[in-house]
């Protein structure tokens, strides 16, 4: 199955927003088989990297509208 990377960033001060993002990841893991590739602090922001099935990119983008998709 072809996978794409979805990368999203969160301010360190916005831990509530990041917690909400992790809840959305859990929902997508159940529905689509999304996998967490990496969580790291980079340049004062929390970087969240997900593997998303290529046929589910649209739903993932709707769930994470500020994210960048690397196909």
């Amino acid at each position: 199955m072809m996978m794409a990377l979805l990368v999203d960033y969160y301010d360190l001060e916005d831990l509530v927003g990041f917690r909400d993002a992790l809840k959305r990841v859990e929902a997508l893991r159940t529905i689509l088989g999304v996998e967490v590739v990496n969580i790291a602090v980079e340049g004062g922001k929390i970087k969240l990297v997900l593997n998303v099935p290529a046929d589910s990119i649209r739903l993932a983008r709707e769930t994470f509208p500020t994210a960048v998709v690397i196909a």
Side-chain angles (χ1 to χ4, degrees):
M1 176 183 294
M2 296 289 296
M3 301 291 271
L5 289 177
L6 183 138
V7 182
D8 208 359
Y9 292 90
Y10 299 87
D11 289 326
L12 283 173
E13 297 82 26
D14 185 20
L15 294 180
V16 171
F18 182 65
R19 182 187 68 203
D20 291 342
L22 292 178
K23 289 178 184 178
R24 291 185 303 227
V25 168
E26 188 59 31
L28 290 180
R29 280 177 14 99
T30 305
I31 298 168
L32 306 177
V34 167
E35 301 171 350
V36 176
V37 174
N38 191 20
I39 298 173
V41 175
E42 194 174 278
K45 294 191 176 270
I46 302 169
K47 179 180 178 182
L48 174 64
V49 183
L50 307 173
N51 256 342
V52 178
D55 60 354
S56 302
I57 292 173
R58 183 175 177 196
L59 180 58
R61 287 284 294 141
E62 290 171 0
T63 306
F64 294 94
T66 61
V68 174
V69 174
I70 303 167

